[in-house]
Amino acid sequence: MKDIYEIAVVHGDGIGPEVCAATIEVVKAALGPDSPLRFSEYPAGAEHFLKTGQSFPEPTFLACRAADAILHGAGGLPGVVHPDGTEAGLDFTLKLRFELDLYANIRPIRLFEGVESPLRGVKAGDIDYIILRENSEGLYAARGSGARLRGEVAVDTLVQTRTGIERIVRKAFELARQSDGAPRDGVRRVTCCDKANVLRSYAFFRSVFDEVAKDYPDIATEYALVDAMAMHLVLKPGHFNVIVSENMFGDILSDLAAATVGGMGMAPSAEIGDANGFFQAAHGSAPDIAGKGIANPYGTILSAASMLDWLGHKHGDAKLNQAAGRIRSVTEACLAGGLLSADLKGSASTRQITHSVCDRLAAAA
Ligand code: ATP
């Protein structure tokens, strides 16, 4: 247990500052006047790149590495790019993942009471699974080191290592063990999502998955090819419990999955390594709605609840876990009570949602 937990905050671009500020208010309300969290802000992202030529300053990196946890809004703006055409505003998230070895990207997908799914006949509780995205290798490991030859050829390399696969698959089985199983049948199940029928790297992923699975005889296993998986997540989402996949596949499937539970604004994430934890919603900076005050803050708020849980477990500090529990139950109550942003077909602004969540938390304290 610590007296003070240092939280490095990077607001980022687009709706990032809006959802991040909302979330800090919520966390403060959940912990009350004696909160042991100290929030310090650092710059990074596309706007900062436009102003200074730097997308991820070294002092920001050092502060993030030294902090007890990192909270981020969202980064990146279309058109703000490096000479190679890649987005400068994504440097923060991507470099942080690789530099701090945040290998496990845990993305809970859950349909809450009060939120309508675009899938017919699906109600709250019917969708409740985790996408566990490998976050440190795969195709994205090539970022910044791919090749462009004479304006004719471009190459990026997909990298999968035994160590990288083993640790993410082990994490998947541990998450399944702690869970209540799939909504449809209550079975604790890990689904290995790959493209093992086409590429050796994915066949390797699957073979290491099989080896690790032997240590977890209590957990059911299965394989799904990623293209079929896109269909399964629409047709039988209740079947899934924990899905483990390579980095880019996890990225793509997360957006599809988020759409089934109300959209990108409803998708939290926790990016965890052995030493550091990084928390942001799964969505990007949504520049189309930035500055309008209508961004959905629930995904970032739920990510902060995961941050408190992670810190609480890491430091044996039960009051942080209790605060996480309060944020989750108040969030659930607000959604069930119809406090919905525009993306959820409601009319509540970011501020209205933030105030209501904070008021309820204050009342619960
Ligand atoms: P990235 O690749 O950087 O994750 P993306 O291309 O997936 O970004 P997002 O920025 O996540 O794109 O947004 C996609 C669309 O989803 C946005 O244009 C916006 O309309 C909607 N959206 C995303 N996040 C939110 C949010 N928090 N509240 C409301 N709408 C959102």
Side-chain angles (χ1 to χ4, degrees), residues 15 75 90 255 264-265 282-286 288-289 295-296 343:
I15 61 168
L90 302 183
D255 279 30
M264 293 309 296
H283 61 74
S285 62
D288 54 328
I289 57 162
N296 178 346
D343 55 322

Side-chain angles (χ1 to χ4, degrees), residues 12-38:
D13 306 304
I15 61 168
E18 300 168 48
V19 293
C20 204
T23 298
I24 291 170
E25 275 186 56
V26 167
V27 172
K28 285 182 176 167
L31 284 162
D34 301 326
S35 169
L37 266 58
R38 186 156 60 202

Side-chain angles (χ1 to χ4, degrees), residues 33-355:
D34 301 326
S35 169
L37 266 58
R38 186 156 60 202
F39 296 93
S40 307
E41 292 174 21
Y42 300 93
E47 296 279 8
H48 193 69
F49 178 75
L50 286 175
K51 270 190 250 155
T52 66
Q54 279 192 305
S55 55
F56 187 4
E58 183 70 4
T60 299
F61 171 68
L62 295 176
C64 287
R65 190 176 61 184
D68 292 298
I70 307 152
L71 183 67
H72 183 38
L77 290 176
V80 181
V81 294
H82 292 298
D84 67 3
T86 60
E87 261 190 50
L90 302 183
D91 289 342
F92 173 65
T93 287
L94 292 171
K95 274 195 190 155
L96 210 57
R97 287 173 183 164
F98 295 120
E99 296 289 331
L100 300 184
D101 199 21
L102 305 170
Y103 64 88
N105 191 334
I106 304 166
R107 296 184 152 182
I109 301 295
R110 179 167 169 214
L111 183 60
F112 287 93
E113 190 75 51
V115 177
E116 197 185 314
S117 171
L119 305 180
R120 216 168 356 128
V122 173
K123 58 181 190 325
D126 289 351
I127 305 179
D128 192 356
Y129 59 86
I130 291 171
I131 293 183
L132 182 62
R133 164 181 173 188
E134 203 296 319
N135 219 28
S136 64
E137 46 184 51
L139 190 55
Y140 292 171
R143 176 163 166 105
S145 55
R148 275 168 76 151
L149 303 173
R150 298 180 297 278
E152 296 291 338
V153 181
V155 183
D156 287 308
T157 309
L158 196 160
V159 179
Q160 314 243 47
T161 67
R162 173 174 290 278
T163 307
I165 303 167
E166 260 176 24
R167 65 184 181 176
I168 196 70
V169 170
R170 206 163 282 286
K171 183 84 184 167
F173 281 100
E174 296 295 339
L175 287 170
R177 238 181 212 170
Q178 291 158 20
S179 77
D180 295 330
R184 190 173 281 180
D185 55 14
V187 172
R188 293 194 176 86
R189 172 185 293 121
V190 178
T191 307
C192 176
C193 176
D194 57 43
K195 194 70 184 169
N197 56 340
V198 174
L199 291 181
R200 281 184 185 155
S201 50
Y202 291 116
F204 180 54
F205 191 99
R206 192 180 280 201
S207 68
V208 177
F209 174 88
D210 288 339
E211 285 171 32
V212 175
K214 290 190 188 122
D215 292 340
Y216 298 88
D218 50 318
I219 310 292
T221 62
E222 64 180 8
Y223 313 123
L225 296 171
V226 66
D227 41 354
M229 191 56 149
M231 178 181 70
H232 296 323
L233 292 185
V234 172
L235 295 182
K236 53 168 193 176
H239 168 79
F240 296 102
N241 178 196
V242 177
I243 299 163
V244 63
S245 82
E246 177 268 336
N247 203 336
M248 183 182 64
F249 287 169
D251 186 13
I252 297 169
L253 290 177
S254 304
D255 279 30
L256 192 159
T260 66
V261 295
M264 293 309 296
M266 292 307 299
S269 87
E271 308 186 37
I272 308 290
D274 290 334
N276 300 85
F278 174 40
F279 301 85
Q280 61 173 329
H283 61 74
S285 62
D288 54 328
I289 57 162
K292 295 183 179 165
I294 58 169
N296 178 346
Y298 285 118
T300 311
I301 291 170
L302 290 167
S303 303
S306 299
M307 175 180 84
L308 293 175
D309 260 339
W310 179 76
L311 282 170
H313 289 306
K314 188 172 179 203
H315 298 282
D317 196 339
K319 68 179 174 304
L320 300 183
N321 299 103
Q322 286 152 9
R326 286 196 296 276
I327 291 176
R328 289 206 179 91
S329 50
V330 163
T331 298
E332 257 177 72
C334 286
L335 288 164
L339 191 65
L340 305 177
S341 44
D343 55 322
L344 301 175
K345 298 192 190 140
S347 57
S349 66
T350 313
R351 293 244 40 84
Q352 283 167 330
I353 294 173
T354 310
H355 282 150

